[in-house]
Amino acid sequence: KDIGKFCGVYAQVRRTCTSGHSDDMIMEKAHLWYKNQSNQKKPFTLEYMWRELKDQPKWRSIIKKGRKQEQED
């Protein structure tokens, strides 16, 4: 559940970032956004799992949607 939420937040952050942002900058911003959107204001602690899952078809489609919307804007 938390990984799915973070994946959505990560996709949102990628849409808002310009081409000058590094992957580390995007990840840091995604962690901040996740914490701010969380009901308990808790940090995302499953990054190691997200890194393993992000290339799986289910998660990749969410991230690709974010990239497509970014290109259309």
Side-chain angles (χ1 to χ4, degrees):
K1 185 176 176 181
D2 288 338
I3 293 173
K5 287 180 186 178
F6 184 78
C7 194
V9 169
Y10 182 83
Q12 288 176 339
V13 170
R14 286 202 55 96
R15 283 194 299 271
T16 64
C17 290
T18 60
S19 61
H21 284 80
S22 69
D23 288 338
D24 290 336
M25 293 167 74
I26 293 169
M27 184 59 73
E28 184 178 325
K29 197 171 192 179
H31 276 280
L32 287 172
W33 284 25
Y34 178 88
K35 186 175 180 180
N36 290 334
Q37 290 181 9
S38 168
N39 290 339
Q40 292 94 15
K41 303 291 183 198
K42 64 180 183 169
F44 181 67
T45 58
L46 302 173
E47 183 178 338
Y48 67 97
M49 290 177 79
W50 179 81
R51 288 189 181 276
E52 291 292 321
L53 295 171
K54 71 181 175 78
D55 294 324
Q56 298 301 316
K58 176 181 177 179
W59 308 111
R60 199 172 18 189
S61 68
I62 294 171
I63 293 171
K64 281 184 181 178
K65 281 182 195 175
R67 286 184 184 156
K68 260 188 203 176
Q69 288 178 351
E70 177 184 304
Q71 291 172 352
E72 291 172 359
D73 292 342

